[in-house]
Amino acid sequence: MTTLTHPTPAQSDDADKPIIIRTLRLNKFYGQGEATTYALRGVDATIYRGEFIAVLGPSGSGKSTFFNMIGALDSPSEGRVLIDEVDVAQLSASELAFLRCQKIGYIFQSYNLIRYMTALENVTVPMAFAGVKPEEARRRGMGLLKMVGLENRWSHRPIEMSGGQQQRVAIARAMCNEPKILLADEPTGNLDLKTGEDILNIMQRINKERGVTIVCATHDHRLLNICDRIMWIRDGLVERIEARHNLKITVGRIGGEA
Amino acid sequence: MKPITVKDQVRLSWGRCIGLALSGMSYRMFRSLITMSILSLAVAFLDHVLSYSVMEQNTRQSAFAQLQEFRLVGEWVTRLSGPESVPQVLATLADNNTQRLAEYQHWSNQDAASIQQAQQIARRLRDLYAFFDNLPLASRGVILGDLDPMQAVRQLQDPAALQAFSQRLSQVNVTLPLAAEEFTRLASQDQPLLWTMIEKINHGQQQAIAQIRAQTNQVGPVELLASRPAQLDEVLRQAGFQVDADLLNRLQVQASRLADLQRLKPLIEIPTVRAAMARRLRINPKEVDLPGTINWIRGQSRAQDLAADLKPYTADHPLDGPRLVFLADSQRRQEKLQAIVGDEPPTAMRGLLDLPTRTRWLVIVSFLVCAIGVINAMMMSVTERFNEIATMKCLGALDGFLLQVFFVEAIVQGLVGGLIGLALGFGLALLRGWISLGNMIFTCLPISDILIGGGVALGAGLILGAVAAIGPAWTAARLAPMEAMRVE
């Protein structure tokens, strides 16, 4: 592994923008010797503060692995992940927990709500981990539920809610400690078109109104309408990264891919 | 670029933990109930074995102690009838009963030092007899012939016999527990001292008994104790017996019972009484016997009936209803106690920590069963929640928080399950004790031992449960969240 104490941004035209996440020759493989399978093979990527980046790629391309790496949910086999220029691998368990709690919000394809908690309790759990007082957490939780339009369903358990509603609770939960980064792994993967669109709208609002950096791994091409940049991943490598305005996009379709 | 600094480590309050654990448990009510019932069964099993064994032990000991009261009179009747046998004196000497030793000192008319010396010799001889008794039959036959150890060793006072004995000993290659010269000294010098002492004691006993007879109008020991003449205390004490008023009172009660029993025996043989009893029992008059009659006497009205039959023949010394009831009840009680004690006398009072070997194994096995049950139940309930643990980690939970939550949950489940288990185990032990030992189980509950046993069972359930829950939770918490999520 190369030691890079002051890494330089990869793309010159974006050099002035503040960087929030950077990966350096990110490798992830499972197994050993002959049986080694590579999920990521040297991914170098830079994500800027406040942007909305879509990560596209077919199944098994390493999208989710990349997502887990930059979210500090899994450790890379080789290479480094820098969040706010801090190497994730250098962090202790409690610093990692702090990072996950305060700086990053996660949204999963399968919502991953805690089954036995109500919507409000689900939203307030990370605040308890952050040391927010219960009354304050309740107040903020209700505000967040209002933002996603579920203030009337705060007492419902995940099992009593539709997929779209569960995903909205998950978004509220991800936003509860006001993170700088929102990572979404196929947030609309399990949803129908209409509810999927609601989710995307909420995400767009979060990006625009709160300036939260959003990284969204997806198959959903509608995302291309709202994102700033698109990153294609194929076979564990970054195929290309394009700004949206460089692509010819018609609504609901991509014209950029030749 | 500033690195992440965690300034104030966030702590999850225990109240919040309990809240989390309770809401989780109430949601997974069915699963928690299964976990808790397995826990409670495991704890119940262990507690049952522990409390039943202390209960049984205590009851048997208590029954044995109460039986001693019945046996006491028999023992004293024997002592007042004639001198003790030689093995008996030997055994008493080897024991450490100060009262008896004082009596022996009186009868032998020796000083305390020589009694003590006799005691030492008696103990060494007792050990020697035990050694010979435990030899394999073949070598024992060669060494002792047909004699029992006491007779054989007694013969060794003769030097020639000792010589022959040593030769036989070398033939079978048996090593004595004593050095050769010690053995020689014991056989040829110490032994005669002891036998002379025992002779003196026996002689003293004979004189004492004759003296008592003379002073109490030649009455037999049973009647003597039952009637308890005013000067009895003094007479016995003068004769060298160590007695006090309390002992004589107790002896009087038992002796009069025994006297009544002895008097009832010939009365049953009288044809009219026999015919009346046969009518009552609805059996052939020939089959009427003492145990059957005593067994029939239950309650005052039956006793009054029999007393009425007996009245013409017991004019001098009436055998009335209450006496018959007392006789029958005592007899039944004695049988019941005997049934509880069984053939072997119970070992001396030992606590929970020093159980008989068989029970100890039972406890160890039930502890293992309890441990496996608890560990399995808890590990299952945690392992199936790896996903939840991973989600919590994604939300920024510290490893410590997860352990805290699972620890609290294990403790709550352990406490609820364990307490139910304790009630169940203790209840079952009581029921089993009541069935096998009768009402006596309730009167001699070893409360402190039962509490210790309960504490051990509950503690085992709690500690094992907590460890078994925290183990997998710790494993899951230390994994990267995504790795934990992949574990299914």
Side-chain angles (χ1 to χ4, degrees):
Chain A
M1 203 203 288
T2 9
T3 40
L4 290 167
T5 39
H6 293 287
T8 44
Q11 277 154 304
S12 52
D13 56 326
D14 291 318
D16 53 329
K17 292 187 196 169
I19 297 166
I20 191 152
I21 302 175
R22 214 141 53 85
T23 66
L24 298 170
R25 292 181 202 90
L26 204 55
N27 269 299
K28 180 72 178 180
F29 44 81
Y30 301 99
Q32 283 180 322
E34 293 283 298
T36 310
T37 44
Y38 279 86
L40 291 178
R41 297 187 290 182
V43 171
D44 288 308
T46 310
I47 294 160
Y48 301 101
R49 191 178 295 272
E51 73 172 342
F52 192 146
I53 184 164
V55 181
L56 289 178
S59 302
S61 59
K63 234 171 36 239
S64 289
T65 313
F66 176 70
F67 169 87
N68 292 340
M69 297 295 148
I70 60 176
L73 298 182
D74 210 344
S75 46
S77 307
E78 282 166 13
R80 294 206 275 167
V81 176
L82 296 117
I83 297 174
D84 263 350
E85 294 303 310
V86 174
D87 189 348
V88 170
Q90 309 289 323
L91 297 180
S92 71
S94 64
E95 287 165 342
L96 268 177
F98 182 84
L99 179 76
R100 293 185 192 121
C101 188
Q102 306 272 6
K103 296 221 165 176
I104 310 176
Y106 304 86
I107 305 171
F108 301 94
Q109 183 177 6
S110 51
Y111 328 127
N112 284 13
L113 297 180
I114 294 167
R115 287 173 303 155
Y116 55 83
M117 293 183 180
T118 63
L120 183 61
E121 283 169 347
N122 261 296
V123 174
T124 52
V125 162
M127 290 195 253
F129 296 152
V132 178
K133 292 231 160 56
E135 312 84 64
E136 165 74 2
R138 262 182 93 82
R139 200 182 55 71
R140 263 160 66 179
M142 284 310 285
L144 286 161
L145 283 176
K146 198 162 182 175
M147 180 190 82
V148 297
L150 286 175
E151 69 269 32
N152 295 326
R153 312 214 62 173
W154 64 272
S155 62
H156 290 239
R157 294 240 158 79
I159 204 164
E160 299 156 345
M161 289 189 278
S162 71
Q165 287 169 332
Q166 288 191 48
Q167 194 62 293
R168 282 190 273 162
V169 174
I171 293 175
R173 181 177 69 178
M175 293 305 298
C176 74
N177 287 326
E178 288 158 8
K180 295 204 183 84
I181 308 164
L182 185 63
L183 296 178
D185 189 8
E186 311 229 15
T188 58
N190 284 357
L191 303 174
D192 60 55
L193 287 173
K194 171 73 185 72
T195 42
E197 212 161 295
D198 292 345
I199 299 299
L200 293 182
N201 285 334
I202 293 170
M203 283 168 64
Q204 189 177 20
R205 251 172 47 216
I206 289 169
N207 179 242
K208 292 281 171 291
E209 288 169 16
R210 307 191 176 212
V212 175
T213 312
I214 298 186
V215 181
C216 182
T218 191
H219 277 119
D220 194 340
H221 287 168
R222 285 172 302 171
L223 192 66
L224 302 185
N225 295 329
I226 53 173
C227 66
D228 300 325
R229 283 201 303 159
I230 301 130
M231 175 195 262
W232 280 271
I233 288 187
R234 190 185 283 272
D235 296 332
L237 284 167
V238 178
E239 201 175 45
R240 62 191 178 123
I241 302 178
E242 289 281 3
R244 183 168 62 111
H245 53 81
N246 291 342
L247 298 169
K248 280 174 269 165
I249 292 180
T250 52
V251 176
R253 220 167 267 162
I254 36 167
E257 196 162 348
Chain B
M1 297 295 148
K2 48 180 191 264
I4 294 172
T5 45
V6 185
K7 270 171 270 154
D8 299 312
Q9 190 77 59
V10 177
R11 299 222 170 272
L12 209 54
S13 77
W14 288 101
R16 182 128 189 138
C17 263
I18 293 169
L20 275 175
L22 285 182
S23 69
M25 279 167 62
S26 64
Y27 182 78
R28 290 183 309 269
M29 189 53 98
F30 185 66
R31 190 67 186 79
S32 315
L33 280 181
I34 290 179
T35 309
M36 282 193 284
S37 28
I38 295 174
L39 256 162
S40 70
L41 284 182
V43 171
F45 185 56
L46 183 56
D47 184 49
H48 168 82
V49 170
L50 287 172
S51 30
Y52 182 74
S53 42
V54 290
M55 268 188 219
E56 188 199 23
Q57 203 187 350
N58 202 45
T59 310
R60 282 190 68 207
Q61 266 158 5
S62 161
F64 187 73
Q66 290 178 40
L67 258 188
Q68 290 306 311
E69 190 69 20
F70 288 101
R71 288 184 180 151
L72 187 67
V73 66
E75 192 187 308
W76 274 86
V77 167
T78 319
R79 298 189 69 205
L80 292 176
S81 310
E84 288 174 288
S85 68
V86 174
Q88 215 168 353
V89 179
L90 198 65
T92 313
L93 268 177
D95 263 355
N96 207 5
N97 186 333
T98 44
Q99 281 195 334
R100 291 294 155 85
L101 287 179
E103 287 174 355
Y104 286 174
Q105 196 184 336
H106 178 95
W107 289 323
S108 62
N109 203 14
Q110 302 285 314
D111 55 6
S114 41
I115 285 285
Q116 226 158 28
Q117 192 190 14
Q119 202 180 5
Q120 295 300 330
I121 300 167
R123 280 185 188 156
R124 270 185 288 159
L125 279 177
R126 182 183 59 179
D127 295 345
L128 193 63
Y129 299 159
F131 169 76
F132 284 129
D133 272 333
N134 292 331
L135 278 181
L137 274 181
S139 21
R140 196 189 136 140
V142 174
I143 301 170
L144 304 179
D146 296 333
L147 300 174
D148 68 34
M150 188 162 92
Q151 290 168 316
V153 175
R154 199 164 182 173
Q155 284 178 355
L156 302 182
Q157 291 177 64
D158 175 27
L162 187 62
Q163 189 83 32
F165 181 82
S166 311
Q167 274 170 7
R168 289 201 300 274
L169 212 57
S170 53
Q171 266 171 33
V172 285
N173 201 12
V174 166
T175 330
L176 288 175
L178 294 168
E181 56 270 32
E182 250 184 293
F183 177 69
T184 315
R185 208 182 62 223
L186 180 65
S188 52
Q189 290 172 30
D190 294 348
Q191 237 194 148
L193 285 177
L194 181 70
W195 299 128
T196 341
M197 175 66 87
I198 291 178
E199 265 168 43
K200 280 180 186 159
I201 291 170
N202 274 338
H203 183 68
Q205 282 174 331
Q206 229 156 10
Q207 279 186 333
I209 289 161
Q211 188 188 335
I212 293 167
R213 288 251 165 118
Q215 286 174 357
T216 57
N217 310 326
Q218 307 291 334
V219 199
V222 179
E223 293 95 290
L224 181 68
L225 289 172
S227 57
R228 198 186 170 186
Q231 81 281 21
L232 185 61
D233 298 35
E234 197 48 41
V235 170
L236 287 180
R237 240 174 260 139
Q238 269 176 10
F241 286 99
Q242 300 267 329
V243 288
D244 54 27
D246 173 56
L247 177 69
L248 284 173
N249 286 340
R250 279 155 62 203
L251 281 174
Q252 188 186 13
V253 174
Q254 298 302 329
S256 39
R257 179 182 59 82
L258 213 59
D260 286 349
L261 193 65
Q262 282 173 2
R263 281 169 62 212
L264 191 60
K265 210 180 219 165
L267 291 173
I268 294 292
E269 306 294 324
I270 297 167
T272 51
V273 178
R274 185 174 273 261
M277 270 319 292
R279 260 199 318 283
R280 292 191 190 108
L281 292 167
R282 298 206 182 85
I283 53 171
N284 191 314
K286 278 183 192 159
E287 289 167 18
V288 173
D289 57 358
L290 191 62
T293 310
I294 287 174
N295 195 31
W296 173 80
I297 306 171
R298 273 167 210 270
Q300 292 292 345
S301 68
R302 284 185 177 186
Q304 300 288 2
D305 285 357
L306 184 62
D309 290 346
L310 297 174
K311 204 166 185 181
Y313 313 101
T314 54
D316 54 330
H317 190 121
L319 202 55
D320 57 7
R323 292 181 77 114
L324 284 173
V325 169
F326 177 70
L327 178 64
D329 284 351
S330 303
Q331 207 69 16
R332 271 194 289 273
R333 220 170 105 68
Q334 202 176 349
E335 278 164 23
K336 213 188 224 166
L337 290 173
Q338 188 62 58
I340 290 172
V341 172
D343 297 331
E344 283 174 52
T347 42
M349 185 61 198
R350 296 198 286 191
L352 190 66
L353 300 173
D354 188 23
L355 291 166
T357 319
R358 199 178 70 94
T359 323
R360 199 180 306 151
W361 277 109
L362 201 63
V363 168
I364 291 171
V365 169
S366 34
F367 185 80
L368 285 180
V369 170
C370 171
I372 291 167
V374 169
I375 289 174
N376 185 41
M378 288 314 268
M379 281 179 90
M380 284 292 290
S381 81
V382 176
T383 312
E384 64 194 20
R385 290 164 64 196
F386 266 38
N387 205 318
E388 187 187 319
I389 294 175
T391 308
M392 293 268 208
K393 278 210 82 167
C394 290
L395 300 178
L398 283 168
D399 299 358
F401 292 173
L402 294 165
L403 294 188
Q404 211 179 342
V405 171
F406 279 89
F407 176 75
V408 167
E409 193 170 318
I411 292 294
V412 171
Q413 286 189 336
L415 266 181
V416 175
L419 287 175
I420 294 172
L422 281 192
L424 209 65
F426 179 66
L428 276 176
L430 263 190
L431 186 69
R432 188 174 147 204
W434 182 65
I435 288 169
S436 64
L437 303 172
N439 287 332
M440 212 182 141
I441 193 94
F442 301 113
T443 56
C444 40
L445 288 177
I447 303 292
S448 62
D449 274 343
I450 287 174
L451 286 179
I452 293 172
V456 167
L458 185 63
L462 275 181
I463 292 170
L464 287 170
V467 170
I470 282 182
W474 175 236
T475 315
R478 270 184 24 209
L479 288 176
M482 276 305 137
E483 285 173 54
M485 238 179 237
R486 274 195 294 268
V487 179
E488 280 305 327

